[in-house]
């Protein structure tokens, strides 16, 4: 058994470091973010001390000045920061690899600058193979709108906004707040502008051609850069891509079933390892143990759909009836969870499931199987459970609010999928009654509430690999909740990608401890080719 009551800082960091396509929470005014330091004019680099999240000893940090609007190069300028980790073996250096961790809104400094660790307590979430860090300068450009570049300031609280109007016109609320703090900046937050920032950093570093690594949303950013600047693109790795035509309401809507499936995968794994975690021998039994923790923390139970019942979930006297009887239990479990949640909220004023730190961490963690063991230890009590203050400290409340608002503006500025009015009742029911975090992101976007009041005006880039000298490599997981496998085809077709199908759970495939995937990506980066088309899933621990 693991040591009792050990803490799990690695688990707290997972969402920030490796979860692309993150959930957008409701906006909060918060404090104004610190402005970015001044950069040298004209694309020259100002070298500076790295921020605290950069722990790699070889890392170098700098920034450049770039136009707020690239179609107005002489207009207002912003600052864009970046981290570069020089190749550990200069004699073996093959070039520069630019990377993005996803989001939109993922912290680029942490993606490469946190070094390469084992993903455990205090270690880096990403586990970059030695060949990568030995042979490439690893460069990550902090996206515009985030702390480290010129941050979007949404600290103003617009007047005249009651809670109902804010729920129904979420996008307009955020835009008004952000325009007050950073006039003219809100419509400059989009993938096209960020790709042009990469081009400015490439030129400032003096690199003729760069290789690209995009995780999740990073696949859209890197494929956009490669489409706009094919002559400066060498290799392109697309890790966990999605259909760009589904941006963004469709992408977020697809995640609801994906996350529920990932939760059920986690519960199944814990049940299969009952000898270690002692939470139950069936997924439903583990769900009930997990639900009891959520009730203890929040006063009400989770309402996410339970996993299907198995014969072992039936009372001993009914197990003779077999799986058909278990199927009847499954049919009643989902509605029962909803009713129990509603009843407990009515009888326990102020009880909201989303206040449970364990529920919040579960939603963050299920896409990352290398953290499932730590999550199971929180549930069974062998690790100390964090409270709400621990979560706030882990994610830096002000920086998280800035990233959340930046993310929303990017997504709504380039939304290509119309709202579904039929989803509005479910969104309101979830927002005002159940508060189910497994439903909230999808419902907020598909209903149109997330982007209500924002008219998409970002340049639409129909990505294409036609101009590339080397065919891109694309990695896709069969049980990925955030970029579901069935949606990867259009990106692969548009870019002409060679696809490696990874059989198993988890979002993000490269740098996640999967030796087969890591070896195939390194082969591709070195040679421009790999014959690998399938790989087993990453280790689960």
């Amino acid at each position: 058994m693991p040591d009792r009551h050990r803490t799990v800082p690695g688990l707290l960091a997972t969402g920030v470091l490796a979860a692309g396509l993150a959930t957008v929470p409701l906006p909060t005014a918060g404090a104004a973010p610190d402005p970015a330091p001044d950069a040298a004019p004209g694309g020259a680099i100002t070298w500076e001390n790295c921020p605290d999240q950069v722990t790699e000893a070889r890392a170098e940090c700098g920034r450049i000045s770039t136009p707020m609007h690239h179609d107005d190069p002489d207009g207002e300028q912003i600052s864009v920061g970046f981290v570069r980790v020089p190749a550990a073996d200069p004699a073996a250096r093959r070039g520069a690899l630019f990377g993005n961790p996803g989001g939109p809104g993922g912290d680029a400094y942490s993606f490469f600058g946190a070094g390469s660790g084992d993903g455990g307590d205090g270690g880096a979430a990403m586990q970059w193979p030695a060949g990568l860090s030995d042979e490439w300068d690893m460069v990550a450009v902090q996206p515009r709108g985030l702390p480290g570049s010129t941050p979007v300031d949404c600290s103003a609280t617009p007047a005249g906004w009651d809670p109902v109007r804010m729920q129904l016109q979420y996008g307009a609320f955020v835009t008004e707040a952000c325009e007050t703090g950073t006039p003219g900046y809100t419509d400059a937050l989009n993938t096209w502008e960020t790709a042009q920032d990469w081009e400015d950093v490439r030129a400032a570093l003096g690199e003729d051609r760069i290789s690209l690594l995009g995780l999740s949303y990073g696949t859209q950013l890197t494929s956009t850069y490669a489409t706009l600047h094919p002559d400066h693109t060498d290799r392109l790795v697309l890790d966990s891509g999605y259909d760009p035509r589904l941006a963004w309401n469709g992408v977020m809507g697809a995640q609801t079933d994906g996350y529920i499936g990932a939760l059920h995968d986690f519960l199944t794994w814990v049940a299969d390892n009952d000898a270690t975690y002692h939470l139950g021998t069936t997924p439903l039994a583990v769900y009930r143990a997990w639900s009891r923790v959520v009730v203890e923390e929040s006063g009400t139970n989770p309402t996410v759909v339970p996993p299907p019942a198995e014969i072992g979930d039936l009372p001993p006297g009914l197990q003779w009836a077999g799986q058909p009887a278990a199927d009847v239990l499954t049919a009643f479990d989902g509605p029962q969870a909803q009713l129990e949640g509603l009843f407990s909220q009515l009888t326990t004023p102020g009880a909201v499931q989303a206040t449970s730190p364990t529920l919040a961490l579960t939603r963050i963690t299920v896409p990352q199987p290398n953290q499932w063991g730590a999550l199971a230890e929180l549930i069974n009590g062998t690790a100390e459970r964090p409270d709400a203050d621990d979560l706030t400290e882990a994610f830096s409340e002000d920086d998280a609010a800035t990233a959340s608002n930046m993310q929303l503006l990017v997504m709504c500025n380039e939304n290509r999928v119309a709202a579904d009015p039929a989803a509005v009742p479910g969104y309101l029911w979830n927002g005002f009654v159940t508060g189910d975090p497994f439903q909230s992101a999808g419902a907020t976007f598909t209903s149109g509430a997330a982007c209500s009041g924002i008219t998409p005006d970002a340049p639409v880039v129909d990505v294409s690999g036609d101009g590339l000298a080397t065919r891109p490599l694309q990695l896709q997981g069969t049980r990925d909740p955030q970029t579901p496998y069935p949606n990867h085809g259009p990106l692969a077709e548009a870019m002409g990608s060679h696809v490696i199908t990874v059989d198993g759970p988890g979002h993000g495939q490269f740098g996640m401890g999967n030796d087969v995937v890591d070896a195939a990506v390194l082969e591709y980066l070195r040679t421009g080719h790999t014959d690998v088309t399938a790989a087993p899933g990453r280790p689960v621990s």
Side-chain angles (χ1 to χ4, degrees), residues 39-46 63-67 73-74 77-78 200-201 203-205:
I45 297 173
T46 299
R63 67 182 53 257
I64 64 169
S65 179
T66 190
D74 297 324
Q77 304 290 295
I78 63 169
D200 293 341
V201 173
L205 287 172

Side-chain angles (χ1 to χ4, degrees), residues 22 59 116 124 140 156 175 189 192 216 221 266 285 316 325 355 382 416 442 444-445 467 473 509 530 532 537:
S116 188
T175 301
L189 298 177
W192 184 87
S216 194
L221 176 58
F266 162 71
T355 62
T382 57
R416 300 172 69 174
T444 303
F445 277 87
L473 176 65
Q509 306 303 329
T530 180
V532 177

